[in-house]
Amino acid sequence: MIIYVLSLLLTLILMSLAIKNKSNKNYKVLAILSVIPFLFISAFRYDVGTDYFYRYAPNYITIANGGNIKNLEFTFKVLIKICSFFTDSYVSLFFVTSAIIIIPIFYIIYKKSKYPLLSIVLFIIGGFFFDSLNLVRQYISIVIILCSHSYLLDKKYFKWILWILFAALFHKSALIGFLLFFIRDKKYFKPQYILPLSVIIILFGNYIRDIIVFLISLTPYSDYVNSIYAKSDIRETIIIANFIIYLAMLVLYGYKEKNKQIDKIDIFYMNVQSLTMILCLFSIQFNLLYRMVEYFSIFQIMSIPYMLDLKKKYSVYVLFILISLYGACFFHLFIKNNVNEVTPYRFVFNKEVFYE
């Protein structure tokens, strides 16, 4: 875990310097340098992430040698083919996919985040970076959906639809991103809607599960119906965390509404967090749906900073609660239980050296 902590500190220092020097030419250099620590440890990792040798390395070798993988999206196969044209080493795939994931994340944080340093902290302690080390194909899709949501908010629907479809070429589950269209501007996040719906999901979970199983059996993911992914996998930590995040954002929204500072982005972000929480509850009955949560929880790195006003005491208090919450979840998931098997870390340059 030491390598991750050092990378975070270095990134924050470089990003802080970049922000302070926006008025001169050094800004872009510092901004680019701040991306390098996490890009480097993501690109040159070895056996970090459950699917590293379970999925991606063997898939690369198979396709590079002229074989085929049936349950792999065509676009990702093309990406492997391009990499294998230059080298037989599967390390090239992790280098390219890391660039595709990390660079756009940092770019949107620089361009759109109200508090870029906070967004980076949330990206790390929220576990999103660590998920990206394992869910490689899906995270390419997640990043595309996150970075393209401004087209939706600006009502440039054609461009937005193209980006969603492009995301689906890397992971078919990205089609769930179309749900964002229906929650873009209406206030669906109010407690009088969300809380009764949550109670219904909890009380009638078994019936809802039967419906979910039936619907999934009609999709390309029908094989999962009889797999371990169809079983209940109650992740109390994730559910409770997203409920508290929802309440915290509701408080922040209330203060902004009181001061007549609400805009379409606040409404959209509140709806996205509500959807995240509801999908968490659904995943109790069918844990494959937890993968769908990832498409919407990633918005927290943008939504929480956007709704905060750190000049106000109430925002500082809310931020303290949220950081404590993220920290507790991070410890439980990634330190205590090593979710996604991202520790110990080791570089591909020295496969025998571990960094706890």
Side-chain angles (χ1 to χ4, degrees), residues 216-230:
I216 290 179
S217 69
L218 303 176
T219 72
Y221 296 94
S222 58
D223 291 343
Y224 287 101
V225 169
N226 296 313
S227 71
I228 60 171
Y229 294 102

Side-chain angles (χ1 to χ4, degrees), residues 17 26 64 81 92 113 133 143 150 156 159 186 188 211 233 250 272 295 311 314 331-332 341:
L17 292 173
N26 294 326
K81 281 289 187 182
S92 62
S113 179
L133 298 179
V143 168
S150 59
K156 297 177 181 178
K159 287 184 178 181
K186 303 295 182 183
Y188 296 124
I211 295 173
D233 181 28
L250 204 61
V272 173
Y295 284 101
K311 296 178 181 178
Y314 74 86
F331 176 83
H332 177 74
E341 299 180 29

Side-chain angles (χ1 to χ4, degrees), residues 141-142 145 164 167-169 171-178 221 295:
S141 297
I142 288 170
I145 289 175
I164 297 294
L169 293 177
H171 205 281
K172 292 184 287 292
S173 63
L175 293 174
I176 198 172
F178 281 118
Y221 296 94
Y295 284 101

Side-chain angles (χ1 to χ4, degrees), residues 10 12 46 74 86 93 115 142 144 147 163 166 170 199 216 241 249 266 295 305 310 315 321 323 334 338:
L10 181 57
L12 292 177
Y46 178 79
F74 173 76
F86 295 97
L93 177 64
Y115 299 110
I142 288 170
I144 292 171
C147 293
W163 278 111
F166 181 60
F170 288 95
V199 172
I216 290 179
M249 289 180 63
D266 290 294
Y295 284 101
L310 295 181
S315 276
I321 292 171
I323 292 296
F334 298 101
N338 196 17

Side-chain angles (χ1 to χ4, degrees), residues 28-293:
K28 290 185 178 180
V29 174
L30 290 167
I32 292 171
L33 288 175
S34 70
V35 181
I36 291 177
F38 281 102
L39 176 59
F40 191 81
I41 62 175
S42 178
F44 296 108
R45 67 191 189 271
Y46 178 79
D47 196 14
V48 176
T50 304
D51 285 350
Y52 190 99
F53 278 124
Y54 179 78
R55 176 77 167 173
Y56 294 105
N59 283 181
Y60 184 94
I61 294 170
T62 298
I63 293 174
N65 290 327
N68 185 37
I69 305 294
K70 291 183 179 180
N71 59 341
L72 189 66
E73 284 80 2
F74 173 76
T75 309
F76 202 78
K77 293 178 185 179
V78 172
L79 187 61
I80 291 176
K81 281 289 187 182
I82 293 172
C83 292
S84 65
F85 178 80
F86 295 97
T87 174
D88 291 333
S89 174
Y90 52 76
V91 176
S92 62
L93 177 64
F94 293 104
F95 180 86
V96 172
T97 55
S98 294
I100 293 173
I101 293 169
I102 301 299
I103 293 175
I105 284 284
F106 273 73
Y107 180 80
I108 192 174
I109 285 173
Y110 274 122
K111 289 292 184 179
K112 300 290 185 180
S113 179
K114 185 176 179 181
Y115 299 110
L117 295 178
L118 176 57
S119 289
I120 291 298
V121 170
L122 294 177
F123 179 55
I124 305 306
I125 68 170
F128 304 111
F129 172 72
F130 298 96
D131 286 339
S132 76
L133 298 179
N134 185 43
L135 310 175
V136 176
R137 287 159 45 237
Q138 185 177 350
Y139 246 81
I140 292 175
S141 297
I142 288 170
V143 168
I144 292 171
I145 289 175
L146 174 66
C147 293
S148 64
H149 78 278
S150 59
Y151 290 121
L152 175 63
L153 294 177
D154 293 338
K155 298 183 178 181
K156 297 177 181 178
Y157 299 131
F158 182 72
K159 287 184 178 181
W160 178 72
I161 289 171
L162 289 179
W163 278 111
I164 297 294
L165 294 175
F166 181 60
L169 293 177
F170 288 95
H171 205 281
K172 292 184 287 292
S173 63
L175 293 174
I176 198 172
F178 281 118
L179 287 178
L180 295 174
F181 178 83
F182 301 100
I183 62 171
R184 65 194 185 281
D185 56 7
K186 303 295 182 183
K187 297 180 180 180
Y188 296 124
F189 56 82
K190 293 185 176 181
Q192 56 263 40
Y193 304 142
I194 298 301
L195 296 182
L197 179 58
S198 300
V199 172
I200 290 172
I201 293 172
I202 294 172
L203 292 179
F204 299 97
N206 290 332
Y207 301 103
I208 293 172
R209 183 184 184 281
D210 291 338
I211 295 173
I212 292 173
V213 168
F214 172 73
L215 293 175
I216 290 179
S217 69
L218 303 176
T219 72
Y221 296 94
S222 58
D223 291 343
Y224 287 101
V225 169
N226 296 313
S227 71
I228 60 171
Y229 294 102
K231 297 179 181 178
S232 176
D233 181 28
I234 301 177
R235 304 188 182 197
E236 293 92 346
T237 303
I238 301 296
I239 295 170
I240 293 171
N242 274 287
F243 180 69
I244 294 175
I245 292 168
Y246 164 76
L247 293 178
M249 289 180 63
L250 204 61
V251 169
L252 295 172
Y253 182 93
Y255 273 97
K256 293 186 74 173
E257 187 175 42
K258 183 178 179 181
N259 293 297
K260 298 180 180 180
Q261 298 174 338
I262 294 301
D263 57 26
K264 63 181 181 180
I265 301 178
D266 290 294
I267 295 172
F268 176 75
Y269 283 153
M270 275 303 316
N271 283 333
V272 173
Q273 180 55 37
S274 301
L275 181 59
T276 301
M277 187 179 71
I278 294 301
L279 286 175
C280 279
L281 293 175
F282 275 122
S283 70
I284 293 175
Q285 298 299 326
F286 201 97
N287 75 27
L288 176 64
L289 291 179
Y290 179 71
R291 291 288 187 94
M292 305 300 103
V293 173

